[in-house]
Amino acid sequence: MKNPPVMDATTRRWRAALFLFMLATGVSMASWVARTPAVRDALDVTTGSMGLVLFGLSIGSMAGVLVSGGLVRRRGGRPVIAVGAGLLVAGLLVIAGGAALEASAGVFCGLALFGAGMGLAEVAFNIEGAAVERTLGRPVLPVLHGCFSLGTVVGALVGMGLTAVRFPVGWHLAAIAVAVAAAGVWTVRAVPAGTGQEGAAAGDGENGDGARTGGVRAQVAVWRDRRLVLIGLIVLAMAFAEGSANDWLPLLMVDGHGTSATAGSLTFMLFAVAMTTGRFTGGPLLVRYGPAAVVRASALVAAAGVALVVFSDNALLAGAAVVLWGLGASLGFPVTISAAGEGVRNASARVAAVSTAGYAAFLVGPPSLGFLADHVGLRNAMVVVLVLLGGAALITRALRTPSSGAGVEQSGATVPGASQSDLV
């Protein structure tokens, strides 16, 4: 660690490819989010019906996340990334076609394909990033996750501009699909074969019966720990807050505050910028104050932002409050995932269990707000987010490391790829 290896051309290309494709996935996600008002108008559906359409993304994403780890163990990361990239491209094209044909079922199916691609890539890319970290002996995952956030900013900017000139949403998403396809081809060619495959085999040997018998059973057993249950509740609230903005923020500003579609896209861009800023600058705060204090403050800041969006009748103030929402939500998910595995046994099973809970809240919870919005309005429906954030702020003591001094060193011979990298 004192003298990290010099990065050769192959590793440099490997790392650059991961950064590029993570950026591309962020652009593609933000492009979809920024154009949700245009898609809703093209489909001519209610907010509740739009929530049902959004469940396609949730279903596909959860399916991808749940199967990705097993596929990487059997096949390695490269083929999983290749399949994920193909599904991403196919999903964008189907969404574009569904919007052009005004077919809700088509958009639903496209979102399912898109979500499955995102879910597959999510786990595989973290495994690849951790492998690059081990090769270089220094952190890589912070920048990798930052590239996704940066991509959301770029995608939001492009979406805002194209919305302003009333560029057809179908052609917009089709163009993004072409860009993602190009990035995917270059990435798959640059990623070495077998990453994650041999590591899983070694783990199977160490555990005797291997991942086939330890995976699901271990993840269920760890929930007997009261501390982990509290951590799971925190990640549920923080992921719900982030996912709600991703799914509904443009429509929240358009329908809830009477702004234009362009202003709605701008608001989402502000949220994405705030998220990116929080992830790149939160590390020193975590080192100085610890995860419990930082997540408590984050939850309260996010709650303040949501409260202003919900209760303020001034559209400008509500739009500015989105910055608080984004800053507060930025560190919640990665810090709680990191805390789940610090200073305890069965760290991998605990992290996997809490990650699944977080993804469930992130992907499945926010679309359900659409049905509530049909009865109380989208602004009032966001009170659910406010309540969850307030509850999370009350139980952040669970994020403290169980034993003094356990910290990052004890939980991670995999320090670069686990605790500290995920804090940014």
Side-chain angles (χ1 to χ4, degrees):
M1 292 298 291
K2 292 182 179 179
N3 297 295
V6 177
M7 181 163 46
D8 58 23
T10 299
T11 305
R12 184 180 294 107
R13 189 166 178 259
W14 181 12
R15 186 185 66 169
L18 297 178
F19 289 168
L20 173 65
F21 195 75
M22 205 67 162
L23 180 74
T25 57
V27 171
S28 63
M29 173 61 78
S31 297
W32 153 251
V33 173
R35 300 309 298 268
T36 48
V39 173
R40 192 274 309 271
D41 292 344
L43 298 178
D44 192 24
V45 295
T46 66
T47 304
S49 296
M50 191 65 183
L52 184 60
V53 171
L54 288 172
F55 265 116
L57 180 62
S58 302
I59 293 170
S61 298
M62 282 304 300
V65 166
L66 290 174
V67 305
S68 183
L71 290 175
V72 172
R73 285 196 298 270
R74 290 192 294 271
R75 304 291 183 181
R78 185 165 70 177
V80 176
I81 291 173
V83 173
L87 290 173
L88 276 170
V89 173
L92 286 168
L93 293 175
V94 173
I95 294 169
L101 297 174
E102 302 179 4
S104 297
V107 175
F108 177 92
C109 292
L111 285 172
L113 292 172
F114 181 79
M118 289 285 291
L120 285 172
E122 176 72 27
V123 176
F125 263 85
N126 280 287
I127 293 172
E128 294 286 342
V132 176
E133 286 182 334
R134 289 191 296 270
T135 300
L136 298 179
R138 58 179 181 266
V140 170
L141 281 172
V143 181
L144 186 64
H145 287 287
C147 285
F148 179 85
S149 296
L150 181 60
T152 62
V153 176
V154 174
L157 280 170
V158 173
M160 180 184 66
L162 294 181
T163 299
V165 300
R166 298 186 180 181
F167 189 82
V169 64
W171 286 110
H172 174 197
L173 296 180
I176 296 297
V178 173
V180 172
V185 169
W186 192 72
T187 299
V188 171
R189 294 178 62 185
V191 169
T195 306
Q197 190 174 13
E198 294 182 358
D204 291 350
E206 292 171 4
N207 294 331
D209 56 357
R212 289 175 298 177
T213 60
V216 175
R217 185 179 302 172
Q219 289 186 40
V220 173
V222 295
W223 287 114
R224 297 171 184 170
D225 181 0
R226 178 177 176 272
R227 174 176 177 262
L228 192 71
V229 171
L230 294 177
I231 291 176
L233 292 174
I234 296 169
V235 77
L236 185 151
M238 301 304 290
F240 196 97
E242 181 181 347
S244 297
N246 287 336
D247 281 357
W248 293 111
L249 197 47
L251 281 176
L252 178 60
M253 296 305 297
V254 172
D255 291 354
H257 288 280
T259 68
S260 66
T262 301
S265 297
L266 174 61
T267 303
F268 175 71
M269 185 202 69
L270 291 175
F271 177 83
V273 169
M275 287 284 295
T276 304
T277 302
R279 285 174 172 166
F280 277 118
T281 63
L285 294 175
L286 289 162
V287 171
R288 181 169 182 178
Y289 298 108
V294 169
V295 173
R296 183 184 305 114
S298 296
L300 293 175
V301 169
V306 174
L308 287 172
V309 172
V310 171
F311 298 116
S312 173
D313 291 326
N314 186 310
L316 288 176
L317 179 59
V322 167
V323 174
L324 296 177
W325 189 344
L327 286 173
S330 62
L331 292 175
F333 189 100
V335 173
T336 49
I337 295 299
S338 177
E342 285 186 355
V344 294
R345 295 180 179 179
N346 300 323
S348 61
R350 294 167 65 90
V351 169
V354 174
S355 297
T356 301
Y359 280 118
F362 182 84
L363 298 168
V364 179
S368 64
L369 290 175
F371 299 103
L372 178 61
D374 271 347
H375 300 284
V376 300
L378 195 51
R379 280 174 62 179
N380 291 330
M382 290 295 159
V383 172
V384 174
V385 180
L386 187 59
V387 171
L388 289 174
L389 287 169
L394 296 176
I395 57 175
T396 55
R397 290 174 62 91
L399 298 177
R400 294 180 177 177
T401 305
S403 57
S404 60
V408 175
E409 291 85 355
Q410 186 171 342
S411 67
T414 58
V415 169
S419 300
Q420 288 191 0
S421 65
D422 283 343
L423 296 181
V424 182

